[in-house]
Amino acid sequence: MIWLVVALLLLLLAMMVTLLKGAGKSQVAVEVSHMMGRIESARASSNEEKAKQEAEKLKQFLDQEGLKGGIFDRARELINEVLN
């Protein structure tokens, strides 16, 4: 009986860790979206130098975190547009 309780507690702990990891990635996606907005804003105001600086910051962030897929791929496309 005790083993069953321990197993259920371990399962609950594993589920909580999985949820927390997912929440962390969502927060990173929000930050990336915010950085992309700053790049687009700089481009809209014809401030190419500011756009390049922001694109370089975003590129370093994505490379450092090793983020891929979804919004992260779109961010890399935007970086390529700005830097090339």
Side-chain angles (χ1 to χ4, degrees):
M1 184 66 167
I2 291 176
W3 293 108
L4 179 61
V5 172
V6 170
L8 289 174
L9 287 174
L10 288 174
L11 179 64
L12 182 60
L13 180 63
M15 289 172 51
M16 288 174 51
V17 167
T18 302
L19 287 173
L20 289 174
K21 284 182 181 178
K25 194 163 186 173
S26 296
Q27 182 61 34
V28 171
V30 169
E31 180 63 26
V32 167
S33 176
H34 181 69
M35 294 171 87
M36 289 172 65
R38 289 195 305 247
I39 293 169
E40 291 291 351
S41 177
R43 289 177 81 189
S45 64
S46 299
N47 191 344
E48 290 298 319
E49 187 59 37
K50 178 72 172 170
K52 286 182 180 183
Q53 289 173 357
E54 293 294 334
E56 192 59 44
K57 286 181 193 176
L58 180 55
K59 182 179 184 304
Q60 290 174 359
F61 180 75
L62 292 174
D63 290 345
Q64 179 183 6
E65 298 294 324
L67 301 168
K68 297 183 183 195
I71 192 169
F72 308 122
D73 289 344
R74 172 63 188 113
R76 289 186 191 281
E77 289 173 12
L78 177 61
I79 290 167
N80 288 335
E81 288 175 17
V82 172
L83 296 180
N84 294 328

